[in-house]
Amino acid sequence: MAQLSPLDRLQQARCERLRAQLVFYRSRGSDAPDLLLQAAQRLAPLDAAMARETYPEALLAAMCAGAGQPQPEVGVRAVAAAARTAPVEPGSQQAADLLLDGLSAQFTQGFPQAVPTLRRALEVSGSGHTGLTLVCLACSLVAMELWEDTAWLNLLEREVRVARQTGTLSMLPVALDYLASYHIQAGDFTAAAAFNDESVALDAAIRVSPPPYSPLMLAAWRGDQQSTAQLTRSGIQDASPRGEGSALVLTEYAAAVLDNGLGHYSSALAAAERAITGDVLVARSWTLTEMVEAAARAGRRDVGEQALEQLAERTQASGTQWAQGSEARSRALLGEGPAAEDLYREAIDRLGDCRMNAHLARAHLVYGEWLRRENRRQDAREHLHRAYDMLTAMGAEAFGERARNELLATGETVRKRSADTISDLTPQEALIASRARDGRTNHEIGAELFISPRTVEWHLRKVFTKLAINSRRDLREAALDTKLNGAWTPPQSRSSS
């Protein structure tokens, strides 16, 4: 309709930006970076503030295109360089301006130089509602990149809650994918699966393709070889025509996680080396930790030390407990003697002070493996039991099996088990139960999840049977968080801690 009307130059530029945003919403492919960059450059002399909001969008689009970007002139570094020529508002503390400055610095000067500005962008984003926009999603990626687990969760929970309330659905599948990724790292695989299910329901309703990242990551962390292979094939088939190169990079990260869990360390190392080649936020930081472990176990100390050097540059600039715990664990894997033991203990202490339970469990695992090789069987059993219990409870079956095999090697008798899910709710049932507990009607629940009220009622009957209750009143009075065994509950019902 706008194109059929007489538009001035500013209106034409705004229309061009909107068209570019829609391309990104629908595909996240290689067309979007160039369109957003052109829109930003066209806006620059007409509306400087809007131009500076559009450049970070172009950067995010270029990062999603990643290695699939066929035109180097609109790759991440080229967009970052162009963004540094954007009109500057001296001393601006707007999230978009800070994000633009920080990301431009990261891709043109280096990660450590960008951290102070990026951290300030997160602080500004966290202090007020900005809406579920491309800038908000870029800020959540920055939180992952900086190992800021609290900022990552708080920012997305707030904006997802508002998006649900207001019906702002176009970017919701991406936000849900990022939330699912958080819960994978935190060891709450049931919550991650629930967010993935909600994203699929949105796709059926609004035809916006959900990102393939977290379902693949979840399968890899679970040690599910068949699902990981299937999701990798379908993800590549879906992402390649669109040029969504970040999906291709993250399939390699997922392969590294899966193979480390299975003990296929040479394969894990090869996948990690492929994954760190692209300019994709988060992928490099997370993959470097997998690379160090794979290299250490595959007898490639030289490669491990190179990866550790790159990792340390990032973790030391970040300084969070998650970052420092990851670095300590990686150093310990390449260390020897008392120094290595001190690093293992530091990793466990630091990771125990943040929310990243999947990484804490793996720290116990590698420490237990090291202790057994030091012939300290009793000490090894303590940490291997802790790792086994945590990993099997969250559903990380391959890593759990690694812990079980190590316990057997210490002389322990260990019954093989997996997460007990027989009486648990499915992710869809968990979503419906949590909403019903909060007082929503079947029609309201169905509208949110894009299913019929009759389907809601059918799921609730199954919920009542599994929880041994008879009514919604019983559901509200039940200790639902315990009954769900870690299943997702709505953000507004979760404590900030």
Side-chain angles (χ1 to χ4, degrees), residues 147 285 288-289 307-315 326-327 330:
W147 286 278
S285 297
L288 286 169
T289 61
L308 176 60
E309 183 178 354
Q310 296 179 52
L311 177 67
E313 179 184 49
R314 292 165 171 260
T315 54
S326 298
E327 180 186 340
S330 296

Side-chain angles (χ1 to χ4, degrees), residues 21 178 228 244 287 385 413 451 460:
Q21 289 173 331
Y178 292 174
T228 302
E244 189 179 354
T287 302
H385 271 299
T413 301
I451 57 178
L460 279 175

Side-chain angles (χ1 to χ4, degrees), residues 28-46:
R28 302 176 303 280
S30 58
D31 293 341
D34 188 30
L35 293 173
L36 284 163
L37 180 58
Q38 290 180 22
Q41 291 170 332
R42 190 167 182 175
L43 281 163
L46 305 171

Side-chain angles (χ1 to χ4, degrees), residues 107-119:
F107 289 112
T108 57
Q109 299 175 35
F111 183 83
Q113 290 77 12
V115 166
T117 305
L118 291 175
R119 181 160 282 137

Side-chain angles (χ1 to χ4, degrees), residues 434-448:
S434 59
R435 282 162 167 75
R437 178 194 58 185
D438 290 343
R440 289 175 174 82
T441 66
N442 288 358
H443 283 279
E444 291 170 337
I445 297 170
E448 287 188 27

Side-chain angles (χ1 to χ4, degrees), residues 234-246:
S234 61
I236 291 174
Q237 290 171 359
D238 185 46
S240 293
R242 297 198 310 269
E244 189 179 354
S246 58

Side-chain angles (χ1 to χ4, degrees), residues 140-423:
S140 66
L141 280 175
V142 165
M144 302 181 212
E145 180 87 335
L146 297 181
W147 286 278
E148 291 279 2
D149 52 305
T150 300
W152 176 8
L153 178 64
N154 291 346
L155 176 64
L156 280 175
E157 278 195 337
R158 182 191 65 206
E159 300 304 347
V160 164
R161 180 168 66 249
V162 173
R164 287 197 185 106
Q165 292 169 350
T166 59
T168 309
L169 303 182
S170 57
M171 295 306 297
L172 193 52
V174 180
L176 292 171
D177 186 86
Y178 292 174
L179 268 179
S181 297
Y182 168 87
H183 286 287
I184 292 169
Q185 309 293 327
D188 192 345
F189 293 178
T190 306
F195 283 118
N196 288 338
D197 276 9
E198 186 175 358
S199 187
V200 170
L202 279 167
D203 176 39
I206 63 175
R207 302 301 181 193
V208 172
S209 177
Y213 313 139
S214 61
L216 177 60
M217 287 169 55
L218 181 58
W221 274 88
R222 281 176 166 165
D224 187 337
Q225 298 181 73
Q226 182 176 353
S227 294
T228 302
Q230 179 181 348
L231 288 167
T232 296
R233 286 193 299 271
S234 61
I236 291 174
Q237 290 171 359
D238 185 46
S240 293
R242 297 198 310 269
E244 189 179 354
S246 58
L248 308 181
V249 171
L250 286 166
T251 60
E252 301 292 359
Y253 163 72
V257 172
L258 175 68
D259 284 328
N260 271 335
L262 295 169
H264 302 162
Y265 300 115
S266 295
S267 297
L269 180 57
E273 289 177 319
R274 292 190 295 269
I276 65 170
T277 58
D279 286 323
V280 179
L281 276 187
V282 182
R284 177 177 292 273
S285 297
W286 291 358
T287 302
L288 286 169
T289 61
E290 302 298 332
M291 193 170 179
V292 171
E293 180 171 345
R297 293 290 191 254
R300 296 293 307 278
R301 186 182 182 87
D302 56 332
V303 177
E305 288 176 344
Q306 292 173 8
L308 176 60
E309 183 178 354
Q310 296 179 52
L311 177 67
E313 179 184 49
R314 292 165 171 260
T315 54
Q316 290 171 18
S318 166
T320 66
Q321 292 289 72
W322 180 14
Q324 292 179 319
S326 298
E327 180 186 340
R329 173 179 169 273
S330 296
R331 288 193 182 281
L333 283 163
L334 296 171
E336 297 177 352
E341 180 161 19
D342 290 344
L343 287 165
Y344 280 122
R345 290 184 176 277
E346 179 187 348
I348 289 170
D349 289 343
R350 290 190 181 279
L351 292 170
D353 283 340
C354 67
R355 306 169 183 231
M356 301 291 98
N357 284 336
H359 297 279
L360 174 61
R362 287 180 62 180
H364 281 291
L365 170 61
V366 293
Y367 184 29
E369 290 174 334
W370 181 84
L371 287 167
R372 188 186 72 79
R373 284 158 180 74
E374 294 290 308
N375 291 318
R376 293 167 55 184
R377 293 190 175 189
Q378 192 61 40
D379 293 335
R381 288 168 184 163
E382 175 188 348
H383 291 278
L384 291 170
H385 271 299
R386 179 72 63 85
Y388 184 58
D389 291 343
M390 293 178 70
L391 291 164
T392 54
M394 65 183 67
E397 299 293 343
F399 288 108
E401 185 65 8
R402 255 177 65 181
R404 191 181 82 92
N405 288 335
E406 289 290 325
L407 281 167
L408 292 173
T410 69
E412 285 279 85
T413 301
V414 187
R415 181 175 63 88
K416 186 174 183 178
R417 67 175 187 270
S418 60
D420 181 14
T421 58
I422 295 175
S423 63

